[in-house]
Amino acid sequence: MAEDSPFTVDADWLEQRLGQPGLSIVDASWYLPAQKRDARAEYEAAHIPGAVFLDQDDISDPDSPLPHTLASPQHFAQYVGTRGISADDTIVVYDGPGFFSAPRAWWMFRIMGVFQVFILEGGLDGWKAAGRKVTNEQTRIAPCVFHADFDAGRVAGLDDMRQIVEAGEVQVADARSPGRFAGIDPEPRAGVRGGHMPGARNVPASALSENGMLLPKSRLREIVEGAGIDLSRPVVTSCGSGITAAAITLALETLGHTDNRLYDGSWTEWGGRTDTPVATGPAAAGKK
């Protein structure tokens, strides 16, 4: 249990505050096809009382050909405002297993200017397993105006990544599985090459939590540094489509590392092109 992370809250903390003014609870669940879970259907069947559903697809840039592209501040503000979420609220986000898609929502709220935003340890699965209250009642929403204060410096684009990979001075931490990173396992999206950006390090998002709980700082540090990441230098996080990269961002921030960006296009963009360099094999992982 990550009691030493400033970005998580436990179920007791949230349960004691249910129904309080100024608290927004957000179900940010999203799943890969292989997980065979329907996030919206699960929300409608059972959610934490007062929670609203944030659809990771609907909140993305509707004009982007890539999945889960960060929306404009205007689109983001309109979307969350209609769900009654204010930038002044204390926001608690959760997903099913705990640390799969919730960090992406946490990251989005933070770069849009919200800093009282936390992730629920254990997720909804842990909440339900402990016998805590859930409901299928529709949450009553009073729409509000969300004032976004977008920090563009926390997002990396394709041109940024070309320069980063060529120069080799900024570290790239890839959250995909070792098999996908090495180019051994196939990518889930058609037309996307296997492998990784030259010089990237592999920090699988799945290794950063246990039983729905973010690992303690000491273990996070071991994993991140063990992958070859120098915490005194800048880092860009990446994954398949920008969702699980935020789990590395969460780990970095928990360790006090603030000089980081997230590559929003991630491997779907980089590996889906023919003019970007690709490395295969596990050789880059864990080596300076």
Side-chain angles (χ1 to χ4, degrees):
M1 180 174 176
E3 293 177 343
D4 51 359
S5 173
F7 307 115
T8 65
V9 295
D10 62 25
D12 286 340
W13 185 97
L14 180 58
E15 191 172 49
Q16 292 165 9
R17 290 164 175 79
L18 291 179
Q20 285 189 1
L23 174 69
S24 284
I25 307 171
V26 179
D27 185 326
S29 300
W30 174 87
Y31 301 105
L32 291 164
Q35 292 171 284
K36 294 181 169 55
R37 295 181 66 166
D38 185 325
R40 185 178 290 275
E42 289 190 22
Y43 168 81
E44 291 174 352
H47 52 266
I48 294 174
V52 297
F53 185 69
L54 184 149
D55 190 309
Q56 298 274 6
D57 294 310
D58 287 353
I59 202 172
S60 300
D61 182 353
D63 299 320
S64 173
L66 297 169
H68 309 127
T69 301
L70 183 69
S72 67
Q74 295 78 16
H75 180 83
F76 184 91
Q78 189 274 334
Y79 181 95
V80 300
T82 60
R83 281 147 185 81
I85 302 170
S86 165
D88 297 324
D89 288 346
T90 295
I91 301 171
V92 177
V93 297
Y94 70 84
D95 60 29
F99 287 94
F100 185 68
S101 57
R104 170 72 181 194
W106 167 85
W107 174 77
M108 287 192 293
F109 278 115
R110 279 173 58 86
I111 66 168
M112 292 297 176
V114 178
F115 290 96
Q116 285 295 108
V117 55
F118 306 94
I119 298 172
L120 175 64
E121 294 178 334
L124 184 63
D125 294 349
W127 181 277
K128 292 194 293 188
R132 299 178 193 270
K133 184 179 179 182
V134 294
T135 182
N136 60 4
E137 293 180 8
Q138 187 171 349
T139 297
R140 299 174 69 177
I141 297 171
C144 66
V145 175
F146 182 97
H147 295 284
D149 183 12
F150 178 49
D151 185 355
R154 304 308 294 269
V155 187
L158 179 62
D159 290 342
D160 298 319
M161 296 310 297
R162 289 188 191 277
Q163 295 172 11
I164 285 168
V165 170
E166 183 175 349
E169 295 176 1
V170 175
Q171 304 167 103
V172 179
D174 190 323
R176 292 175 301 148
S177 68
R180 288 174 64 189
F181 179 87
I184 298 169
D185 295 340
E187 286 297 308
R189 294 178 176 87
V192 178
R193 294 172 291 168
H196 55 267
M197 286 169 259
R201 310 290 189 252
N202 190 203
V203 185
S206 59
L208 302 174
S209 63
E210 195 171 83
N211 299 320
M213 306 289 185
L214 186 67
L215 295 177
K217 285 183 181 179
S218 59
R219 292 184 61 191
L220 290 177
R221 185 179 297 275
E222 287 176 7
I223 291 169
V224 172
E225 292 183 341
I229 298 294
D230 181 346
L231 290 168
S232 69
R233 296 171 52 214
V235 178
V236 173
T237 63
S238 180
C239 61
S241 66
I243 297 285
T244 59
I248 304 180
T249 306
L250 173 67
L252 292 172
E253 294 280 338
T254 295
L255 292 171
H257 184 286
T258 58
D259 188 2
N260 60 75
R261 288 180 283 173
L262 187 150
Y263 174 26
D264 201 40
S266 281
W267 192 252
T268 300
E269 180 174 50
W270 189 273
R273 301 180 66 91
T274 58
D275 61 350
T276 46
V278 170
T280 56
K287 293 186 180 180
K288 298 277 186 179

